[in-house]
Amino acid sequence: MAQAQDINPWSVTGGQAEDGTALAIDYDALSKKWNTSLIDQAVIERFEKLTGHKAHRWLRRGLFFSHRDFDKILDTYEKGEPFFLYTGRGPSTGSLHVGHTIPMSFTKWLQDCFDVPLVFMLTDDEKAIFKDKLTCDETLQYAMDNAKDIISLGFDQKKTFIYSDLKYLGGPFLMNAWEFSKTVTFNQVRGAFGFNESTNVGRLFFPSVQCVAAFATSYPEIWTDEPLEKRTKDIAKIRCLIPMGIDQDPYFRLVRDNAGKMKYPSPKPALIHSKFLAALSGPTGKMSASEPNSAIFMSDTAKQIKTKINKYAFSGGQVSIEEHKRLGGNPDIDVSYIYLTYFEEDDEKLQKIYDDYKAGRLLTGELKQMAIALLQEYVGEFQERRAKVTDEVLEQYMTPRKLEWRGNPNEPPPKIGAQAAGEKKLADRTKK
Ligand code: TRP
């Protein structure tokens, strides 16, 4: 029996054809259904022109494929106005797999290109509330472990604030969450998340927490040296861009719908959506931490990576070398090829691999070898950085503080609220 795909923040299931065969996730259909905008060449070119950076290969190749209001962020950047990046991770396990790191590494790249602050939310509250088996103590510990992994992706400490919900939430952030929750009805969250009368009440409230993380007023301290513990109208105006897997979109539809109802309204956050990294077992699934052979972990050794790809990576090749040479392979469903689309930087080289594989000139073993080498490099470099992340380093990233960034160097950003006042005071003091 045919079955439709089902994508939501807690599970991703591809569709099934009439005969029961699994289907790849249909991202265009998802974008249509959720009414997002596809990323087109014009947006990419505008990004390149404004920032002077070549588009990331994940943008060029449509792995980040959809957005909401990304063009408004480009307008903001063009005008030299401030904005910030926000992304997150639900710490349900102690270590990340490669799939988890894709939106994160992309966020780091965006941060480098735009030179803006980033807030990184660890939803240890969410995972304790949504996973029956996990306790708050466990998810808090995972949050700390995950934070070290996240740091190892190379985020600049000066412009990055990483926080655990269980530890950080209070003050203006919590005030935002409660104020926001007052605007959200049961009907709204039931529609967005499929809740019912038996759903625990933590789950009903949690979306407000994930939503208000997109408001600059949730972090007054990152904007100014002044001991500013309040939300202000000016800070509320700072725009937010959220890179994420498309499964998180339902949360942010909610915040986009209700952001205008806050006492100090914030603009609707802009979103940029990624596809899911294919599981080793094939492009119809995504890497999953609970199925070790579906995923390559950031803690895997070079040898484990090699074994996993050789043994489990689904191949679009033919059953024998003779057949393969005669008929050619199918790179579109070949997991090793799919991994190359993520990690091979050279577009021409990638195209040649595609053509050669299709024509049967390149064998599955050779293709796997290339994927192994690139993944070993990605994971190996990560592990080198990971070894240097001590508890002290962790503490630095997780301390609420004023962040330092330059924004668009072409035009100085206008001063915001207390920051302007603070600098004036400083100027007055130095005059004396
Ligand atoms: N809910 C996400 C998860 O389970 C974590 C998260 C919080 C997030 N805020 C986010 C992810 C913003 C992307 C963008 O993984």
Side-chain angles (χ1 to χ4, degrees), residues 1 10 70 104 181 197 216 225 234 291 301 343 353 420 430:
M1 224 189 28
W10 304 286
F70 184 61
M104 300 176 186
S181 75
E197 290 82 345
D225 273 329
D234 285 342
E291 293 164 56
T301 62
F343 294 105
I353 294 169
T430 39

Side-chain angles (χ1 to χ4, degrees), residues 132-146:
D132 292 333
K133 292 211 182 84
L134 290 179
T135 65
C136 287
D137 301 279
E138 285 162 337
T139 57
L140 176 58
Q141 185 54 51
Y142 290 153
M144 297 301 151
D145 298 340
N146 288 178

Side-chain angles (χ1 to χ4, degrees), residues 215-416:
F215 298 154
T217 48
S218 291
Y219 325 86
E221 68 279 359
I222 73 175
W223 306 106
T224 165
D225 273 329
E226 294 287 289
L228 180 83
E229 274 139 29
K230 331 193 278 282
R231 306 172 300 162
T232 69
K233 208 171 169 181
D234 285 342
I235 290 182
K237 287 186 195 139
I238 302 172
R239 272 185 195 279
C240 175
L241 169 64
I242 316 176
M244 69 180 92
I246 182 91
D247 60 310
Q248 297 293 311
D249 188 71
Y251 280 113
F252 300 113
R253 293 203 288 270
L254 186 61
V255 68
R256 286 170 54 88
D257 283 348
N258 291 17
K261 298 181 191 157
M262 297 293 286
K263 178 178 171 204
Y264 299 129
S266 285
K268 292 177 198 272
L271 319 178
I272 183 160
H273 303 113
S274 72
K275 298 180 179 173
F276 307 112
L277 184 62
L280 283 161
S281 52
T284 57
K286 65 165 187 151
M287 283 194 182
S288 159
S290 49
E291 293 164 56
N293 289 334
S294 77
I296 292 174
F297 288 86
M298 299 309 282
S299 53
D300 281 349
T301 62
K303 189 151 169 254
Q304 280 172 315
I305 293 173
K306 184 173 169 198
T307 311
K308 278 189 184 173
I309 291 186
N310 279 333
K311 212 162 152 186
Y312 302 112
F314 182 82
S315 163
Q318 304 292 344
V319 286
S320 68
I321 293 184
E322 294 69 45
E323 288 279 275
H324 189 86
K325 285 187 173 156
R326 195 162 60 83
L327 300 169
N330 182 355
D332 295 313
I333 58 164
D334 191 294
V335 168
S336 303
Y337 177 77
I338 292 170
Y339 293 170
L340 290 183
T341 66
Y342 279 83
F343 294 105
E344 173 54 60
E345 175 61 29
D346 186 335
D347 292 337
E348 274 174 35
K349 187 168 168 197
L350 187 69
Q351 184 63 46
K352 185 165 183 321
I353 294 169
Y354 185 90
D355 296 340
D356 285 350
Y357 197 60
K358 217 167 180 167
R361 289 189 294 270
L362 187 73
L363 302 178
T364 297
E366 296 168 314
L367 188 65
K368 286 198 170 191
Q369 192 40 55
M370 295 186 233
I372 290 167
L374 287 176
L375 277 160
Q376 284 175 335
E377 186 185 312
Y378 182 68
V379 173
E381 285 175 3
F382 168 88
Q383 290 175 357
E384 273 172 35
R385 290 189 298 261
R386 180 68 171 81
K388 295 187 196 122
V389 182
T390 58
D391 289 340
E392 289 72 53
V393 172
L394 179 68
E395 173 92 28
Q396 287 173 3
Y397 280 85
M398 297 190 79
T399 302
R401 74 213 114 96
K402 176 170 185 302
L403 298 179
E404 291 166 47
W405 70 97
R406 290 191 319 167
N408 182 346
N410 300 325
E411 258 176 277
K415 299 283 188 290
I416 37 172

Side-chain angles (χ1 to χ4, degrees), residues 86-90 121 123 126-127 210 242-244 248 252:
Y86 153 44
T87 194
R89 145 88 184 151
M121 173 185 232
T123 55
E126 175 189 25
K127 292 299 147 181
Q210 179 155 332
I242 316 176
M244 69 180 92
Q248 297 293 311
F252 300 113

